[in-house]
Amino acid sequence: MTRQTDTQGDLSKDRLRVWLRMLKVTRRIEAELRERMRQEWDTTLPRFDVMSALHRNGEGMKMSDLSGVLRVSNGNVTGIVDRLVADGLVERRSVEGDRRAMRVVLTEKGRVLFDDMAGVHERWVDELLSPIGAQGLATVYSRLGRIAETTGEDS
Amino acid sequence: MTRQTDTQGDLSKDRLRVWLRMLKVTRRIEAELRERMRQEWDTTLPRFDVMSALHRNGEGMKMSDLSGVLRVSNGNVTGIVDRLVADGLVERRSVEGDRRAMRVVLTEKGRVLFDDMAGVHERWVDELLSPIGAQGLATVYSRLGRIAETTGEDS
DNA sequence: TATAAAAATTTTATACTTGAAACAATCTGA
DNA sequence: TCAGATTGTTTCAAGTATAAAATTTTTATA
């Protein structure tokens, strides 16, 4: 229980403070983005995330690819894709050569909608993070990068 | 992250990159903490948050105070408190002078458990954020602080 | 070629989350 | 006083999230 020095304990408390602030800021921005998406397009952040991943992969992605990239459970992706399919924004196609797998692709309607959303989304983020200038962006990006490296593996 | 001759568009893209990294890092740490809490005490982050708020307020808090401080909806708090009550970690007491309101308090069992959890939680956060040193902590804290000020109001 | 193991997905059970509606109690102003 | 607004909480419907079990198909291997 005895710590080696006072500064060691202070550092731990500082990390806790940073973590709590990071959590708070992230949640607030997420809440703001969620609300705007709801108002603007009657959609949600998870749906946007799925569409974004599919947009980056024009040929479509398997369900397991989606849950891997987005880091959410398989079962969760099933539900989100179900709803996107119901809205005609996404299609499930069978994978030739493997009858287990499904390839999920943006429909034309989905592509058009996402092109619209992506631009507006970038402007919203720019607005919400506007208190951070070029200098701060670089610093925060690099510090967070160190955590990203150690916490998980890839990307 | 970009050249000194940043255009407006580059800055916007940088903010998007920072946001996406922040989101990724936050989610990973949250996932890690959630998993450890599940393994260690068979509990969840939202329950920990509620207990933490109650621990800071020994006299207990009204449901509306909880949803205000934690920034989650009223209905959500109802469910989480219900489950904490079922586990005997928390108690609902009536508020003298206002028959609408309820005061939620940690039970003795809840207090003992939280004391245990809080210390371990701080060590986990210290470990997960260990790639950031004193210098980085101060910078990140101050940059995020600017956003916290503009995005929402208090605390 | 059986058959066991692995892979891709869905299903199930439970919990968290929101926004909105419903309810009850309190407060307020004519 | 007492009708209307406000406050505190719960209920409800829908969506998001996980872990674990189940299902179907493919692959490996004996």
Side-chain angles (χ1 to χ4, degrees), chain A residues 87-146:
Chain A
D87 287 352
L89 300 171
V90 137
E91 258 179 22
R92 273 189 176 94
R93 296 193 189 152
S94 55
V95 170
E96 63 294 346
D98 190 341
R99 281 182 298 172
R100 293 170 304 182
M102 297 302 260
R103 195 160 50 91
V104 185
V105 201
L106 276 184
T107 62
E108 180 57 25
K109 180 179 174 188
R111 200 159 29 247
V112 168
L113 176 59
F114 184 79
D115 284 340
D116 177 26
M117 291 196 295
V120 176
H121 175 261
E122 183 180 322
R123 284 195 290 280
W124 285 344
V125 170
D126 187 46
E127 172 200 337
L128 293 168
L129 292 199
S130 61
I132 309 189
Q135 184 64 57
L137 287 175
T139 316
V140 172
Y141 190 78
S142 95
R143 304 297 178 172
L144 292 184
R146 294 194 201 163

Side-chain angles (χ1 to χ4, degrees), chain A residues 63 74-84 92:
Chain A
M63 296 296 280
N74 287 338
N76 192 7
V77 172
T78 297
I80 296 169
V81 167
D82 281 350
R83 283 167 218 120
L84 287 173
R92 273 189 176 94

Side-chain angles (χ1 to χ4, degrees), chain A:
Chain A
M1 252 325 174
T2 57
R3 56 175 81 103
Q4 219 164 0
T5 68
D6 288 343
T7 47
Q8 188 61 28
D10 288 345
L11 205 52
S12 172
K13 287 268 186 297
D14 283 347
R15 292 212 174 88
L16 188 55
R17 264 189 285 275
V18 165
W19 167 241
L20 293 176
R21 177 164 287 188
M22 199 162 116
L23 200 51
K24 184 167 74 179
V25 168
T26 303
R27 284 178 176 171
R28 276 195 190 166
I29 294 179
E30 269 194 288
E32 183 63 31
L33 291 175
R34 175 175 10 90
E35 174 63 10
R36 293 186 186 190
M37 285 197 172
R38 195 176 67 89
Q39 300 281 352
E40 206 73 25
W41 304 292
D42 190 29
T43 192
T44 65
L45 228 25
R47 287 158 76 118
F48 179 81
D49 290 343
V50 167
M51 291 179 75
S52 178
L54 294 178
H55 193 263
R56 276 193 300 276
N57 296 270
E59 299 309 304
M61 300 173 77
K62 291 194 298 180
M63 296 296 280
S64 47
D65 294 339
L66 275 173
S67 71
V69 167
L70 303 179
R71 303 189 160 266
V72 298
S73 64
N74 287 338
N76 192 7
V77 172
T78 297
I80 296 169
V81 167
D82 281 350
R83 283 167 218 120
L84 287 173
V85 167
D87 287 352
L89 300 171
V90 137
E91 258 179 22
R92 273 189 176 94
R93 296 193 189 152
S94 55
V95 170
E96 63 294 346
D98 190 341
R99 281 182 298 172
R100 293 170 304 182
M102 297 302 260
R103 195 160 50 91
V104 185
V105 201
L106 276 184
T107 62
E108 180 57 25
K109 180 179 174 188
R111 200 159 29 247
V112 168
L113 176 59
F114 184 79
D115 284 340
D116 177 26
M117 291 196 295
V120 176
H121 175 261
E122 183 180 322
R123 284 195 290 280
W124 285 344
V125 170
D126 187 46
E127 172 200 337
L128 293 168
L129 292 199
S130 61
I132 309 189
Q135 184 64 57
L137 287 175
T139 316
V140 172
Y141 190 78
S142 95
R143 304 297 178 172
L144 292 184
R146 294 194 201 163
I147 301 180
E149 285 166 22
T150 58
T151 313
E153 43 304 326
D154 62 300
S155 174

Side-chain angles (χ1 to χ4, degrees), chain B residues 8-128:
Chain B
Q8 189 58 32
D10 287 342
L11 204 53
S12 172
K13 287 269 186 296
D14 284 348
R15 292 211 173 89
L16 188 55
R17 264 189 286 273
V18 165
W19 167 240
L20 293 177
R21 176 164 287 188
M22 198 162 117
L23 200 51
K24 185 166 71 179
V25 168
T26 303
R27 284 178 177 172
R28 277 197 188 165
I29 294 179
E30 269 194 287
E32 184 62 32
L33 292 175
R34 176 173 11 85
E35 173 65 9
R36 294 185 184 190
M37 285 196 173
R38 194 176 67 88
Q39 299 282 353
E40 207 72 25
W41 305 291
D42 190 29
T43 193
T44 65
L45 228 26
R47 286 158 78 119
F48 179 80
D49 290 344
V50 166
M51 291 179 75
S52 177
L54 294 178
H55 192 263
R56 276 193 301 274
N57 296 270
E59 299 310 302
M61 301 173 75
K62 291 194 297 182
M63 296 296 281
S64 46
D65 293 338
L66 275 172
S67 71
V69 167
L70 303 179
R71 304 191 159 263
V72 298
S73 64
N74 286 339
N76 193 6
V77 173
T78 296
I80 295 169
V81 168
D82 281 351
R83 288 180 279 271
L84 287 173
V85 167
D87 288 351
L89 300 171
V90 139
E91 260 178 21
R92 274 189 177 93
R93 297 192 188 152
S94 54
V95 171
E96 63 294 350
D98 191 341
R99 283 180 298 169
R100 294 168 303 181
M102 298 301 262
R103 194 160 51 91
V104 185
V105 202
L106 276 183
T107 61
E108 180 57 25
K109 179 180 174 188
R111 199 162 27 248
V112 168
L113 175 61
F114 184 79
D115 285 339
D116 176 27
M117 292 196 295
V120 177
H121 175 261
E122 184 181 322
R123 283 194 291 280
W124 285 343
V125 170
D126 187 46
E127 171 200 338
L128 294 168

